[in-house]
Amino acid sequence: MHEQLELLLRLQEIDSSLTDLEWEAEDLPRRIADLEQQIEMTNAVMKEQEVALETATKDRRKLEDDLEDTNVKLDDLKSKQVVIKTNEEYAALQTEIQYAKNTISQIEDSILVLLEQIEGASGDLEAARQSAADSRGVIEKEIAQLERELGRLTETLTIERDKRVRVAMNVDERMLERYERILESKGDQAVVPLVDGFCTGCYKKLPAQQAIEIRRSDRFFECDGCGRILYWRGEGKNGEE
């Protein structure tokens, strides 16, 4: 096989590897970011539970203060009963006393409801904290593993890029430009084998005479269908004649 063709094939192999590695190098940070977002979402759920418990606790304290104030007011109203002189005053006072009693009953009912809410919120918060701790532990391990993979991948990319530079240095400058132009255009392969008279890049059937020339010649040929560089690899299953 032509020396320059061998170099191009080696270069193409490295470029294919680099494409996969670079895609993975771009994908890993996204995966890490997704996992970090999961931690944030878990923390957000826990924060919601904390806020719900805090709000219910504050509401209970306020109701307890209101209850205390109303009880004081009720005691004050009851103390006035002994100094009432007229029936009208007594009836008005009884109305106020009953209103205070009703208010106390309503507040006590509301406190009972809040106590149930607080108990439920406390349980939910504890469950959320445990879930957050468990999830965070698992996710942080996954992140650490991905970060190690990213580190190894970065090292591999450096090695492969160095290989490419060294191989490319030995390729004829015009041939290298030609190769890189085709690769950029096609996005997959610039150099493809001719098999059974077909270009394996676009599967166009080449004229028999041109296929013979490609098989026998040391010159480079481009497929007139896709523009890729063609080479003879043989007709057998494994590329053997």
Side-chain angles (χ1 to χ4, degrees):
M1 184 181 290
H2 194 287
E3 179 183 356
Q4 287 291 305
L5 182 56
E6 289 181 347
L7 287 170
L8 286 182
L9 288 171
R10 175 61 181 144
L11 191 63
Q12 181 166 266
E13 180 183 345
I14 295 171
D15 282 337
S16 178
S17 175
L18 279 171
T19 297
D20 293 340
L21 291 170
E22 287 167 352
W23 181 89
E24 191 174 355
E26 292 178 0
D27 184 58
L28 283 176
R30 286 195 292 267
R31 291 169 61 188
I32 291 172
D34 288 343
L35 290 171
E36 290 174 340
Q37 186 175 17
Q38 288 182 33
I39 292 178
E40 291 178 3
M41 291 174 63
T42 302
N43 290 336
V45 170
M46 186 173 64
K47 184 63 177 177
E48 288 178 2
Q49 298 293 346
E50 290 175 347
V51 170
L53 178 59
E54 183 179 349
T55 300
T57 301
K58 287 181 178 179
D59 290 344
R60 187 204 69 188
R61 289 172 181 166
K62 184 179 183 305
L63 286 174
E64 287 174 344
D65 289 341
D66 291 344
L67 180 62
E68 184 178 354
D69 291 342
T70 307
N71 274 313
V72 169
K73 182 178 180 181
L74 178 60
D75 290 340
D76 181 61
L77 290 171
K78 287 179 177 179
S79 67
K80 292 179 179 179
Q81 292 180 105
V82 296
V83 297
I84 292 298
K85 297 180 179 180
T86 66
N87 290 335
E88 290 78 4
E89 290 177 341
Y90 183 80
L93 183 60
Q94 290 303 311
T95 299
E96 288 187 63
I97 289 173
Q98 188 58 48
Y99 180 79
K101 288 180 178 179
N102 291 340
T103 301
I104 289 171
S105 178
Q106 291 172 2
I107 293 174
E108 287 175 341
D109 289 343
S110 297
I111 289 174
L112 287 174
V113 171
L114 278 175
L115 286 173
E116 291 180 358
Q117 291 178 359
I118 289 170
E119 183 179 359
S122 297
D124 291 342
L125 177 58
E126 184 59 31
R129 283 173 175 166
Q130 185 60 52
S131 176
D134 294 342
S135 298
R136 187 162 50 246
V138 172
I139 292 172
E140 285 175 350
K141 287 181 180 179
E142 291 184 31
I143 289 175
Q145 176 63 29
L146 290 176
E147 287 175 341
R148 287 193 293 271
E149 289 180 19
L150 184 57
R152 288 193 293 268
L153 186 61
T154 300
E155 292 178 3
T156 304
L157 273 168
T158 300
I159 293 171
E160 289 297 303
R161 285 167 179 159
D162 181 64
K163 284 182 184 178
R164 190 188 193 284
V165 170
R166 287 187 277 111
V167 172
M169 287 174 60
N170 295 305
V171 179
D172 176 79
E173 184 176 347
R174 284 187 295 180
M175 182 55 65
L176 180 62
E177 290 176 358
R178 181 177 173 187
Y179 163 83
E180 291 180 338
R181 184 181 68 252
I182 297 171
L183 186 63
E184 182 179 2
S185 171
K186 301 306 175 184
D188 50 7
Q189 290 182 310
V191 186
V192 297
L194 180 72
V195 177
D196 292 333
F198 287 89
C199 165
T200 53
C202 66
Y203 301 101
K204 178 178 180 179
K205 178 74 171 179
L206 273 68
Q209 183 58 40
Q210 188 176 5
I212 292 172
E213 290 178 9
I214 293 172
R215 179 176 181 178
R216 293 178 178 176
S217 177
D218 283 338
R219 293 192 302 110
F220 286 91
F221 289 83
E222 285 187 5
C223 172
D224 59 6
C226 64
R228 291 181 175 88
I229 299 169
L230 295 169
Y231 72 95
W232 176 258
R233 194 181 65 181
E235 299 296 317
K237 182 178 180 181
N238 296 317
E240 299 174 356
E241 295 184 54

PDB file of all heavy atoms in Angstrom, residues 1-2 14 18 20 40 46 65 75 140 153 160-161 167 171 187 220 228-229:
ATOM      1  N   MET A   1       0.851  -1.195   0.000  1.00  0.00           N
ATOM      2  CA  MET A   1       0.000   0.000   0.000  1.00  0.00           C
ATOM      3  C   MET A   1       0.889   1.249   0.000  1.00  0.00           C
ATOM      4  O   MET A   1       1.934   1.279   0.632  1.00  0.00           O
ATOM      5  CB  MET A   1      -0.919  -0.001   1.226  1.00  0.00           C
ATOM      6  CG  MET A   1      -1.916   1.158   1.258  1.00  0.00           C
ATOM      7  SD  MET A   1      -2.950   1.143   2.737  1.00  0.00           S
ATOM      8  CE  MET A   1      -3.976  -0.291   2.394  1.00  0.00           C
ATOM      9  N   HIS A   2       0.445   2.253  -0.720  1.00  0.00           N
ATOM     10  CA  HIS A   2       1.174   3.518  -0.809  1.00  0.00           C
ATOM     11  C   HIS A   2       1.428   4.066   0.605  1.00  0.00           C
ATOM     12  O   HIS A   2       0.543   4.087   1.459  1.00  0.00           O
ATOM     13  CB  HIS A   2       0.321   4.507  -1.617  1.00  0.00           C
ATOM     14  CG  HIS A   2       1.076   5.706  -2.068  1.00  0.00           C
ATOM     15  ND1 HIS A   2       1.455   6.700  -1.208  1.00  0.00           N
ATOM     16  CD2 HIS A   2       1.514   6.077  -3.308  1.00  0.00           C
ATOM     17  CE1 HIS A   2       2.087   7.642  -1.876  1.00  0.00           C
ATOM     18  NE2 HIS A   2       2.132   7.283  -3.160  1.00  0.00           N
ATOM     19  N   ILE A  14      -6.953   7.790  14.004  1.00  0.00           N
ATOM     20  CA  ILE A  14      -6.766   8.671  15.163  1.00  0.00           C
ATOM     21  C   ILE A  14      -7.887   9.709  15.228  1.00  0.00           C
ATOM     22  O   ILE A  14      -8.424   9.993  16.299  1.00  0.00           O
ATOM     23  CB  ILE A  14      -5.390   9.369  15.091  1.00  0.00           C
ATOM     24  CG1 ILE A  14      -4.270   8.341  15.217  1.00  0.00           C
ATOM     25  CG2 ILE A  14      -5.258  10.424  16.181  1.00  0.00           C
ATOM     26  CD1 ILE A  14      -2.876   8.905  14.945  1.00  0.00           C
ATOM     27  N   LEU A  18     -10.431  10.423  18.166  1.00  0.00           N
ATOM     28  CA  LEU A  18     -10.539  11.756  18.767  1.00  0.00           C
ATOM     29  C   LEU A  18     -11.985  12.250  18.771  1.00  0.00           C
ATOM     30  O   LEU A  18     -12.427  12.876  19.738  1.00  0.00           O
ATOM     31  CB  LEU A  18      -9.656  12.746  18.007  1.00  0.00           C
ATOM     32  CG  LEU A  18      -8.171  12.728  18.358  1.00  0.00           C
ATOM     33  CD1 LEU A  18      -7.386  13.600  17.383  1.00  0.00           C
ATOM     34  CD2 LEU A  18      -7.943  13.204  19.789  1.00  0.00           C
ATOM     35  N   ASP A  20     -14.719  10.460  18.961  1.00  0.00           N
ATOM     36  CA  ASP A  20     -15.435   9.781  20.041  1.00  0.00           C
ATOM     37  C   ASP A  20     -15.029  10.319  21.408  1.00  0.00           C
ATOM     38  O   ASP A  20     -15.869  10.559  22.279  1.00  0.00           O
ATOM     39  CB  ASP A  20     -15.165   8.269  19.986  1.00  0.00           C
ATOM     40  CG  ASP A  20     -15.768   7.617  18.758  1.00  0.00           C
ATOM     41  OD1 ASP A  20     -16.684   8.213  18.158  1.00  0.00           O
ATOM     42  OD2 ASP A  20     -15.314   6.528  18.385  1.00  0.00           O
ATOM     43  N   GLU A  40     -29.490  19.498  43.934  1.00  0.00           N
ATOM     44  CA  GLU A  40     -30.165  20.775  44.197  1.00  0.00           C
ATOM     45  C   GLU A  40     -31.678  20.577  44.316  1.00  0.00           C
ATOM     46  O   GLU A  40     -32.320  21.192  45.179  1.00  0.00           O
ATOM     47  CB  GLU A  40     -29.849  21.762  43.071  1.00  0.00           C
ATOM     48  CG  GLU A  40     -28.397  22.228  43.046  1.00  0.00           C
ATOM     49  CD  GLU A  40     -28.107  23.173  41.894  1.00  0.00           C
ATOM     50  OE1 GLU A  40     -29.056  23.497  41.159  1.00  0.00           O
ATOM     51  OE2 GLU A  40     -26.945  23.572  41.741  1.00  0.00           O
ATOM     52  N   MET A  46     -36.390  19.363  50.398  1.00  0.00           N
ATOM     53  CA  MET A  46     -36.170  19.417  51.842  1.00  0.00           C
ATOM     54  C   MET A  46     -36.424  20.824  52.372  1.00  0.00           C
ATOM     55  O   MET A  46     -37.008  20.996  53.447  1.00  0.00           O
ATOM     56  CB  MET A  46     -34.738  18.973  52.159  1.00  0.00           C
ATOM     57  CG  MET A  46     -34.440  18.862  53.649  1.00  0.00           C
ATOM     58  SD  MET A  46     -32.816  18.140  53.962  1.00  0.00           S
ATOM     59  CE  MET A  46     -31.753  19.396  53.222  1.00  0.00           C
ATOM     60  N   ASP A  65     -50.720  32.612  71.419  1.00  0.00           N
ATOM     61  CA  ASP A  65     -50.717  33.968  71.993  1.00  0.00           C
ATOM     62  C   ASP A  65     -52.131  34.555  71.977  1.00  0.00           C
ATOM     63  O   ASP A  65     -52.574  35.190  72.959  1.00  0.00           O
ATOM     64  CB  ASP A  65     -49.769  34.872  71.211  1.00  0.00           C
ATOM     65  CG  ASP A  65     -48.306  34.525  71.432  1.00  0.00           C
ATOM     66  OD1 ASP A  65     -48.008  33.849  72.437  1.00  0.00           O
ATOM     67  OD2 ASP A  65     -47.465  34.921  70.592  1.00  0.00           O
ATOM     68  N   ASP A  75     -61.550  36.293  81.381  1.00  0.00           N
ATOM     69  CA  ASP A  75     -61.491  36.407  82.848  1.00  0.00           C
ATOM     70  C   ASP A  75     -61.865  37.821  83.288  1.00  0.00           C
ATOM     71  O   ASP A  75     -62.567  38.005  84.307  1.00  0.00           O
ATOM     72  CB  ASP A  75     -60.077  36.066  83.346  1.00  0.00           C
ATOM     73  CG  ASP A  75     -59.764  34.590  83.192  1.00  0.00           C
ATOM     74  OD1 ASP A  75     -60.705  33.794  83.079  1.00  0.00           O
ATOM     75  OD2 ASP A  75     -58.563  34.247  83.185  1.00  0.00           O
ATOM     76  N   GLU A 140     -23.126  11.837  44.815  1.00  0.00           N
ATOM     77  CA  GLU A 140     -21.757  12.339  44.963  1.00  0.00           C
ATOM     78  C   GLU A 140     -20.729  11.281  44.566  1.00  0.00           C
ATOM     79  O   GLU A 140     -19.676  11.606  44.005  1.00  0.00           O
ATOM     80  CB  GLU A 140     -21.519  12.799  46.407  1.00  0.00           C
ATOM     81  CG  GLU A 140     -22.208  14.136  46.714  1.00  0.00           C
ATOM     82  CD  GLU A 140     -22.082  14.542  48.166  1.00  0.00           C
ATOM     83  OE1 GLU A 140     -21.621  13.693  48.978  1.00  0.00           O
ATOM     84  OE2 GLU A 140     -22.444  15.684  48.502  1.00  0.00           O
ATOM     85  N   LEU A 153      -9.920  10.709  30.640  1.00  0.00           N
ATOM     86  CA  LEU A 153     -10.258  11.049  29.258  1.00  0.00           C
ATOM     87  C   LEU A 153      -9.420  12.221  28.765  1.00  0.00           C
ATOM     88  O   LEU A 153      -8.949  12.216  27.618  1.00  0.00           O
ATOM     89  CB  LEU A 153     -11.745  11.386  29.174  1.00  0.00           C
ATOM     90  CG  LEU A 153     -12.333  11.621  27.787  1.00  0.00           C
ATOM     91  CD1 LEU A 153     -12.179  10.380  26.931  1.00  0.00           C
ATOM     92  CD2 LEU A 153     -13.803  11.997  27.905  1.00  0.00           C
ATOM     93  N   GLU A 160      -3.668  11.225  22.266  1.00  0.00           N
ATOM     94  CA  GLU A 160      -4.140  11.032  20.891  1.00  0.00           C
ATOM     95  C   GLU A 160      -3.857  12.255  20.020  1.00  0.00           C
ATOM     96  O   GLU A 160      -3.517  12.131  18.836  1.00  0.00           O
ATOM     97  CB  GLU A 160      -5.638  10.725  20.889  1.00  0.00           C
ATOM     98  CG  GLU A 160      -6.003   9.358  21.422  1.00  0.00           C
ATOM     99  CD  GLU A 160      -5.427   8.241  20.579  1.00  0.00           C
ATOM    100  OE1 GLU A 160      -5.699   8.197  19.366  1.00  0.00           O
ATOM    101  OE2 GLU A 160      -4.684   7.401  21.123  1.00  0.00           O
ATOM    102  N   ARG A 161      -4.010  13.434  20.574  1.00  0.00           N
ATOM    103  CA  ARG A 161      -3.715  14.647  19.805  1.00  0.00           C
ATOM    104  C   ARG A 161      -2.228  14.736  19.475  1.00  0.00           C
ATOM    105  O   ARG A 161      -1.850  15.193  18.388  1.00  0.00           O
ATOM    106  CB  ARG A 161      -4.168  15.879  20.599  1.00  0.00           C
ATOM    107  CG  ARG A 161      -5.685  16.067  20.592  1.00  0.00           C
ATOM    108  CD  ARG A 161      -6.133  17.082  21.610  1.00  0.00           C
ATOM    109  NE  ARG A 161      -7.595  17.268  21.558  1.00  0.00           N
ATOM    110  CZ  ARG A 161      -8.317  17.771  22.542  1.00  0.00           C
ATOM    111  NH1 ARG A 161      -7.714  18.146  23.687  1.00  0.00           N
ATOM    112  NH2 ARG A 161      -9.625  17.907  22.429  1.00  0.00           N
ATOM    113  N   VAL A 167       1.840  12.005  13.299  1.00  0.00           N
ATOM    114  CA  VAL A 167       1.492  11.341  12.035  1.00  0.00           C
ATOM    115  C   VAL A 167       1.304  12.377  10.932  1.00  0.00           C
ATOM    116  O   VAL A 167       1.807  12.207   9.801  1.00  0.00           O
ATOM    117  CB  VAL A 167       0.212  10.486  12.194  1.00  0.00           C
ATOM    118  CG1 VAL A 167      -0.254   9.968  10.831  1.00  0.00           C
ATOM    119  CG2 VAL A 167       0.458   9.323  13.145  1.00  0.00           C
ATOM    120  N   VAL A 171       2.719  13.431   6.533  1.00  0.00           N
ATOM    121  CA  VAL A 171       1.832  13.412   5.379  1.00  0.00           C
ATOM    122  C   VAL A 171       2.152  14.601   4.482  1.00  0.00           C
ATOM    123  O   VAL A 171       2.400  15.710   4.966  1.00  0.00           O
ATOM    124  CB  VAL A 171       0.344  13.470   5.816  1.00  0.00           C
ATOM    125  CG1 VAL A 171      -0.576  13.478   4.601  1.00  0.00           C
ATOM    126  CG2 VAL A 171       0.012  12.296   6.730  1.00  0.00           C
ATOM    127  N   GLY A 187     -17.626  14.579   7.459  1.00  0.00           N
ATOM    128  CA  GLY A 187     -17.888  14.407   8.877  1.00  0.00           C
ATOM    129  C   GLY A 187     -17.637  13.026   9.435  1.00  0.00           C
ATOM    130  O   GLY A 187     -17.770  12.822  10.638  1.00  0.00           O
ATOM    131  N   PHE A 220      -3.589   8.403  -6.141  1.00  0.00           N
ATOM    132  CA  PHE A 220      -4.811   8.555  -5.351  1.00  0.00           C
ATOM    133  C   PHE A 220      -5.964   8.880  -6.287  1.00  0.00           C
ATOM    134  O   PHE A 220      -5.826   9.663  -7.224  1.00  0.00           O
ATOM    135  CB  PHE A 220      -4.654   9.676  -4.325  1.00  0.00           C
ATOM    136  CG  PHE A 220      -3.777   9.311  -3.170  1.00  0.00           C
ATOM    137  CD1 PHE A 220      -2.417   9.564  -3.213  1.00  0.00           C
ATOM    138  CD2 PHE A 220      -4.306   8.706  -2.042  1.00  0.00           C
ATOM    139  CE1 PHE A 220      -1.601   9.223  -2.155  1.00  0.00           C
ATOM    140  CE2 PHE A 220      -3.504   8.372  -0.973  1.00  0.00           C
ATOM    141  CZ  PHE A 220      -2.150   8.628  -1.020  1.00  0.00           C
ATOM    142  N   ARG A 228     -14.660  11.316  -1.766  1.00  0.00           N
ATOM    143  CA  ARG A 228     -13.742  10.678  -0.845  1.00  0.00           C
ATOM    144  C   ARG A 228     -12.569  10.028  -1.578  1.00  0.00           C
ATOM    145  O   ARG A 228     -12.680   9.657  -2.755  1.00  0.00           O
ATOM    146  CB  ARG A 228     -14.472   9.624  -0.002  1.00  0.00           C
ATOM    147  CG  ARG A 228     -15.472  10.194   0.994  1.00  0.00           C
ATOM    148  CD  ARG A 228     -16.128   9.062   1.786  1.00  0.00           C
ATOM    149  NE  ARG A 228     -17.017   9.550   2.855  1.00  0.00           N
ATOM    150  CZ  ARG A 228     -18.286   9.839   2.702  1.00  0.00           C
ATOM    151  NH1 ARG A 228     -18.850   9.707   1.487  1.00  0.00           N
ATOM    152  NH2 ARG A 228     -19.012  10.266   3.708  1.00  0.00           N
ATOM    153  N   ILE A 229     -11.452   9.887  -0.853  1.00  0.00           N
ATOM    154  CA  ILE A 229     -10.268   9.235  -1.413  1.00  0.00           C
ATOM    155  C   ILE A 229     -10.496   7.729  -1.370  1.00  0.00           C
ATOM    156  O   ILE A 229     -10.885   7.171  -0.338  1.00  0.00           O
ATOM    157  CB  ILE A 229      -9.011   9.606  -0.609  1.00  0.00           C
ATOM    158  CG1 ILE A 229      -8.777  11.119  -0.674  1.00  0.00           C
ATOM    159  CG2 ILE A 229      -7.797   8.851  -1.117  1.00  0.00           C
ATOM    160  CD1 ILE A 229      -7.713  11.617   0.292  1.00  0.00           C
TER     161      ILE A 229
END
